[in-house]
Amino acid sequence: MGCIVEEDYGDIEIESPSNFSTVNEGIYRSSCPRPANFSFLETLNLRSIIYLCPGPYPEENMEFLRTHNITLFQFGIEGKTEPSAATLKDAIRGALKILIDVRNHPVLIHCKRGKHRTGSLVGCLRKLQNWCLSSVFEEYQHFAGIKSRPTDMRFIETFDVVCLRQCLHSLIYQYHGYGSKKRRLLYREDNVQKPRVASA
């Protein structure tokens, strides 16, 4: 997990963003991509990006999204100052609703460095997937390293996935894969609150 991927396609060197990893089929995570990473992103055939920072998305990245018809879902979570529990919970819940909808896949999740905000969202996804808490924390700490935040892990631990399931009454299961009973989630159109969306 979290390695830099470099491949040589003839004379073109492909480099992934730092902290890049596959979360599940069709779901990826990383730090904020730089222009040097755009060739790598093209290989993912992304349909959506979930951006977890406040403020405008970098213009060069927006141009890449426009060129490749990628939709941006932005949930602004402060990184340097600790957001209120209610604000963080609302943002994570909203991002999860986008994340588990296979119509948005392939999707890339990122914040600035792909550690704390991205790690918190992925941690809550793992709880929704019924991972044991020790495995959730191990994955979080792998990406956050020595900068792991106890407040993030406490948030993940107390995040109410039961409440999220109750909010998504129209969740249905779809099975994909070659001979494997892989369960993926999709929700139908409903009256859930929409995030701030920039459709490229």
Side-chain angles (χ1 to χ4, degrees):
M1 294 188 294
C3 60
I4 297 293
V5 178
E6 293 188 4
E7 299 185 40
D8 190 356
Y9 291 77
D11 295 330
I12 303 174
E13 188 176 84
I14 304 294
E15 179 183 345
S16 68
S18 62
N19 257 348
F20 175 83
S21 185
T22 299
V23 178
N24 280 120
E25 181 183 349
I27 301 176
Y28 308 97
R29 61 176 292 169
S30 73
S31 63
C32 185
R34 298 176 293 106
N37 307 132
F38 290 170
S39 293
F40 176 81
L41 295 186
E42 287 177 344
T43 69
L44 303 179
N45 297 312
L46 294 174
R47 185 173 293 173
S48 310
I49 284 180
I50 295 176
Y51 180 49
L52 300 175
C53 298
Y57 201 55
E59 181 54 39
E60 53 202 350
N61 293 48
M62 279 301 305
E63 182 59 34
F64 175 82
L65 268 57
R66 284 190 287 266
T67 300
H68 293 82
N69 196 30
I70 299 170
T71 300
L72 176 70
F73 296 93
Q74 183 170 4
F75 299 88
I77 302 172
E78 290 293 338
K80 293 183 179 180
T81 59
E82 187 173 334
S84 70
T87 299
L88 182 57
K89 183 166 62 176
D90 288 346
I92 293 295
R93 185 182 292 124
L96 277 172
K97 290 175 183 178
I98 299 301
L99 186 59
I100 63 179
D101 188 338
V102 297
R103 292 171 297 183
N104 299 317
H105 295 183
V107 56
L108 174 69
I109 311 160
H110 78 82
C111 49
K112 185 175 182 180
R113 295 187 173 86
K115 295 181 178 181
H116 304 115
R117 287 166 283 195
T118 298
S120 296
L121 176 57
V122 172
C124 292
L125 173 66
R126 298 309 193 192
K127 285 190 68 176
L128 193 61
Q129 295 174 324
N130 296 318
W131 278 35
C132 68
L133 204 54
S134 60
S135 295
V136 174
F137 288 164
E138 181 180 357
E139 182 179 41
Y140 171 88
Q141 291 170 327
H142 172 85
F143 289 95
I146 60 172
K147 294 190 175 181
S148 295
R149 293 177 178 172
T151 52
D152 287 344
M153 291 188 284
R154 187 161 56 248
F155 173 80
I156 294 169
E157 182 176 8
T158 59
F159 184 79
D160 186 2
V161 295
V162 174
C163 178
L164 179 65
R165 290 191 180 105
Q166 291 172 344
C167 290
L168 300 176
H169 295 296
S170 57
L171 268 172
I172 61 174
Y173 293 99
Q174 288 194 340
Y175 292 84
H176 296 275
Y178 301 96
S180 65
K181 294 290 185 179
K182 177 179 290 187
R183 186 168 64 186
R184 300 178 68 187
L185 299 174
L186 167 70
Y187 65 90
R188 299 189 186 96
E189 294 292 341
D190 53 19
N191 294 322
V192 298
Q193 184 178 0
K194 300 298 183 183
R196 176 186 171 192
V197 178
S199 183

